[in-house]
Amino acid sequence: MKTVAMVLFPEFLLLDMAGPMEVFSIANRYLAPDQRYELLTIGTEPGLLRASNGVSVQADLHIDQASANYDVLLVPGGPGAYDEKHPRLLRWLPGAVSRARRYGSICTGAFVLGHAGLLDGYRVTTHWHYTERLIKGFPKATVETDQIYVLNRNLITSGGVTAGIDLALAVVAEDHGKKVAQDVAKVLLVVMKRQGGQAQFSPLTAAVAPHETAVTRVQNHVLDHLDKAFSVECMAGLANMSARHFARVFAREVSMTPMEFLQSARIDRARNLLETSDLPLKTVAFKSGFGSVRHMRFLFSEKLGLTPTQYREQFS
């Protein structure tokens, strides 16, 4: 019997808890009694704990009562994970983790682990919207920005919300083999391995800064004329700078090179057209500035792990 413990705190995301726990629960249908998972919730506060969607949950144990050795110890995400520090939880976690065979987080639960000093030296991930914040907050961790989940030694972390199901399926596969995990995935009507990573859900280019600079003027011009050809020299001319100086200033302000910005902007434009229109791929490629469907397909596969056709089928 393996024990899976989930730590709950005010404003946790209910699906971060329920998704993985459902995976382990369904896995028990396919396992012998002595191989099944025992599911346990641990609350940081006495009584009912209110999730971020308003649903209240009664934990099995209060944190002061939880001193066992767990096979899997998980922390969910939610507003309570990245907006609050939970000092009692942060004091408890290092000792609990030292007794656990594996520990991890779903979504923004990574921030709780980070504040407890439990991410340092590990490869980790979180919801795509928060990866930059995690990178800045915990520089001793290596943040994977495009992974659905990351298994690194005894630490397991996942991207946002439903990625907790992917993480739990990976744990079941590791514990009991791929066949059991596949059976669970079929019951849940999910795939064992998704096509592509988190990049397919997130914009590749951030919003242009609202204050006007030479760089933001170039960015806005490029975004308004993505069907045109651009080079670094051409963009530098729009900013009245030399190509070398422009490239340095652009990289400093935007955190990517001018050509990386152009390529990402074209992919984002194509994604929008694929999601919101029935335009032929040739027209999408032209309007996005790729020049050919072949070039667009190559960059989609490289950056998103999906072809344009697969992307349209999945998101439109």
Side-chain angles (χ1 to χ4, degrees), residues 2-313:
K2 292 180 171 62
T3 305
V4 177
M6 182 80 71
V7 183
L8 306 182
F9 43 81
E11 292 294 297
F12 72 94
L13 194 71
L14 188 64
L15 191 55
D16 282 2
M17 177 201 77
M21 294 301 240
E22 202 64 49
V23 169
F24 295 118
S25 175
I26 293 173
N28 285 341
R29 303 179 191 177
Y30 301 94
L31 300 172
D34 63 336
Q35 294 182 319
R36 291 172 182 165
Y37 295 98
E38 178 186 2
L39 306 182
L40 180 71
T41 52
I42 301 169
T44 60
E45 310 293 333
L48 293 172
L49 285 159
R50 190 178 177 86
S52 59
N53 65 356
V55 173
S56 293
V57 175
Q58 177 69 58
D60 297 308
L61 289 176
H62 183 263
I63 198 170
D64 292 340
Q65 303 169 307
S67 58
N69 301 333
Y70 305 112
D71 288 283
V72 185
L73 178 62
L74 296 172
V75 180
Y82 53 83
D83 287 339
E84 304 292 337
K85 293 293 178 63
H86 306 291
R88 177 182 289 175
L89 175 57
L90 298 185
R91 289 193 300 269
W92 177 82
L93 268 174
V97 162
S98 69
R99 298 189 302 271
R101 189 161 71 90
R102 287 165 295 189
Y103 71 99
S105 61
I106 298 95
C107 195
T108 52
F111 287 88
V112 176
L113 296 181
H115 287 303
L118 300 172
L119 297 184
D120 294 354
Y122 284 91
R123 292 189 304 106
V124 302
T125 193
T126 189
H127 190 288
W128 61 265
H129 188 72
Y130 296 92
T131 50
E132 186 175 349
R133 181 171 169 178
L134 195 69
I135 290 168
K136 291 178 179 177
F138 308 102
K140 293 183 180 179
T142 301
V143 179
E144 303 282 353
T145 61
D146 189 36
Q147 299 300 309
I148 298 294
Y149 62 86
V150 173
L151 306 178
N152 186 211
R153 291 170 283 164
N154 62 328
L155 176 61
I156 48 181
T157 56
S158 80
V161 197
T162 58
I165 294 174
D166 300 75
L167 179 149
L169 286 170
V171 171
V172 170
E174 186 178 84
D175 287 346
H176 302 290
K178 187 175 180 180
K179 176 64 167 59
V180 174
Q182 286 174 329
D183 289 338
V184 175
K186 289 176 182 177
V187 172
L188 292 172
L189 298 181
V190 298
V191 294
M192 268 293 293
K193 184 174 178 58
R194 302 195 204 194
Q195 291 181 313
Q198 289 200 70
Q200 61 188 282
F201 301 96
S202 63
L204 297 182
T205 54
V208 176
H211 55 278
E212 184 173 308
T213 67
V215 167
T216 61
R217 285 197 300 273
V218 172
Q219 285 181 283
N220 285 319
H221 180 86
V222 168
L223 291 174
D224 289 339
H225 301 84
L226 277 175
D227 57 332
K228 307 299 183 185
F230 286 99
S231 63
V232 175
E233 289 74 17
C234 173
M235 288 186 269
L238 294 170
N240 293 317
M241 297 180 186
S242 69
R244 181 176 296 181
H245 180 59
F246 172 75
R248 285 198 299 265
V249 173
F250 193 100
R252 184 174 66 244
E253 290 191 18
V254 185
S255 298
M256 61 175 69
T257 68
M259 296 310 290
E260 286 171 341
F261 170 79
L262 176 64
Q263 185 181 88
S264 296
R266 283 181 168 154
I267 293 174
D268 283 347
R269 172 67 56 80
R271 289 163 70 179
N272 178 261
L273 291 172
L274 291 168
E275 291 171 16
T276 61
S277 76
D278 295 322
L279 292 172
L281 292 185
K282 186 174 182 179
T283 306
V284 172
F286 173 78
K287 286 180 172 291
S288 305
F290 287 111
S292 70
V293 174
R294 182 179 179 180
H295 185 47
M296 180 172 70
R297 185 182 299 115
F298 171 79
L299 289 176
F300 261 64
S301 297
E302 182 181 59
K303 296 294 184 181
L304 305 181
L306 298 170
T307 66
T309 299
Q310 289 169 331
Y311 187 91
R312 171 171 270 166
E313 290 173 350

